[in-house]
Amino acid sequence: DKVAEMFNLPPIDSINQWPILSGETNEPLRTEIPISVDVQLELKGAGKFLNPKSSALIQGDMKYLEGIQVQTFHQGNNFPNSSRYGMLTDPLLFKRCPKPRGGCLFNITADPSEEINLAESFPELCKKMSDRVNELRKTAFQTKSDASQRQECYAQIRKNNNFFGPWLS
């Protein structure tokens, strides 16, 4: 992607999923999903951040978290419903996964609601996944989380026939 390259963005890391979609293989082709690296949410127009930097990485069945995860809540079997799950700024919804204590580790296949933190039981795996997050930091890219670039982003989406793509100038 020449435009992304002009802005020093990392190359696209796409993996052809056709073999699994077509039934040629049953083995997943992507076993790692970096969900976020050092993400912070800025309070609208305040110049203050809601959380310190947080990261999340999935490898196979395991999900590793570090930092304070915002908007993490356990919902019932039938959701949405009339229950209140709080506002974005509600500290009761934060999942605290401090890196010095090993972060948080969940087996998302066995425990899809992420209730059982396995970090103390698997410190070597936490260290390995933390090291991987550190590697990902070298190429991580995060736009501002406020609305200051919204119009520029929307204009590029229209230009791309309603597809997201590089839009920073």
Side-chain angles (χ1 to χ4, degrees), residues 8-168:
N8 297 318
L9 296 175
I12 296 171
D13 70 343
S14 62
I15 295 174
N16 181 0
Q17 297 296 312
W18 183 246
I20 200 161
L21 294 171
S22 66
E24 182 181 319
T25 182
N26 290 328
E27 292 298 314
L29 302 170
R30 179 181 290 279
T31 57
E32 176 180 86
I33 303 171
I35 298 172
S36 61
V37 177
D38 291 344
V39 170
Q40 286 186 296
L41 296 179
E42 187 174 353
L43 292 173
K44 197 171 188 174
K48 295 180 182 176
F49 292 97
L50 184 62
N51 62 314
K53 294 178 179 179
S54 64
S55 301
L57 173 67
I58 294 175
Q59 289 181 337
D61 294 333
M62 305 306 281
K63 181 176 180 183
Y64 172 76
L65 306 170
E66 64 182 41
I68 296 179
Q69 309 296 315
V70 218
Q71 280 190 308
T72 59
F73 54 90
H74 300 287
Q75 54 206 37
N77 293 333
N78 298 314
F79 189 85
N81 55 30
S82 61
S83 64
R84 179 185 172 278
Y85 61 86
M87 301 296 291
L88 179 65
T89 55
D90 186 346
L92 295 174
L93 302 179
F94 296 178
K95 184 177 285 184
R96 288 163 176 77
C97 299
K99 187 176 175 180
R101 290 193 299 207
C104 294
L105 182 70
F106 301 97
N107 181 324
I108 55 176
T109 302
D111 177 23
S113 61
E114 301 175 19
E115 300 276 349
I116 304 165
N117 184 357
L118 301 170
E120 288 183 12
S121 300
F122 298 97
E124 300 84 16
L125 182 56
C126 283
K127 167 103 173 68
K128 178 183 166 225
M129 292 180 82
S130 175
D131 289 347
R132 179 63 180 139
V133 169
N134 287 335
E135 279 296 308
L136 292 167
R137 281 189 175 100
K138 295 175 184 175
T139 58
F141 176 78
Q142 176 66 41
T143 60
K144 292 181 180 181
S145 63
D146 64 11
S148 66
Q149 300 164 337
R150 182 176 294 157
Q151 293 309 314
E152 193 174 1
C153 176
Y154 289 161
Q156 188 63 43
I157 291 169
R158 286 188 294 277
K159 187 175 175 183
N160 293 345
N161 294 318
N162 295 318
F163 287 95
F164 279 94
W167 48 270
L168 297 176

